[in-house]
Amino acid sequence: MTRLNDALAARFTDADEIKDVANHGCSGGVSGFIYSSELYDFFNEHEDEIENILDSYDITYSSLVPDAVSFQQYREAAVWFVVESYCQAQLDQ
């Protein structure tokens, strides 16, 4: 397991929440992934692994947020993508 996967596994222990995130995404509000400061810190802690995941899906920052005006918007979208992907993978198991 990777540090990113370990962090997500420690955070997402509730099957209902995993299902909600997998089905509805993070935009409705997911504790720990709401505020810009939380997303900034999470991204910086796991940047390499997040970028590896984006690469594995052939996703670029600009494809996540085509009209971004700051790199923070890219960070936030990348973290949400990784969280949603993780939850989807857990749901598919």
Side-chain angles (χ1 to χ4, degrees):
M1 290 182 95
T2 65
R3 284 184 331 114
L4 173 60
N5 198 50
D6 290 346
L8 292 172
R11 167 55 188 82
F12 291 99
T13 58
D14 181 308
D16 289 333
E17 182 181 33
I18 290 169
K19 183 178 178 182
D20 285 345
V21 173
N23 290 329
H24 306 291
C26 292
S27 63
V30 177
S31 179
F33 299 97
I34 297 172
Y35 300 105
S36 290
S37 61
E38 295 170 329
L39 296 164
Y40 178 90
D41 291 343
F42 191 86
F43 179 88
N44 284 343
E45 185 173 344
H46 303 287
E47 181 176 0
D48 290 339
E49 293 177 83
I50 290 170
E51 289 181 346
N52 288 340
I53 290 169
L54 294 177
D55 286 345
S56 73
Y57 284 94
D58 199 26
I59 293 176
T60 63
Y61 289 119
S62 60
S63 67
L64 285 172
V65 188
D67 57 347
V69 295
S70 73
F71 194 74
Q72 180 61 20
Q73 288 177 289
Y74 293 138
R75 284 185 194 100
E76 293 172 4
V79 170
W80 279 9
F81 178 83
V82 167
V83 168
E84 292 165 3
S85 296
Y86 172 83
C87 289
Q88 185 63 51
Q90 296 307 301
L91 191 62
D92 291 343
Q93 288 185 356

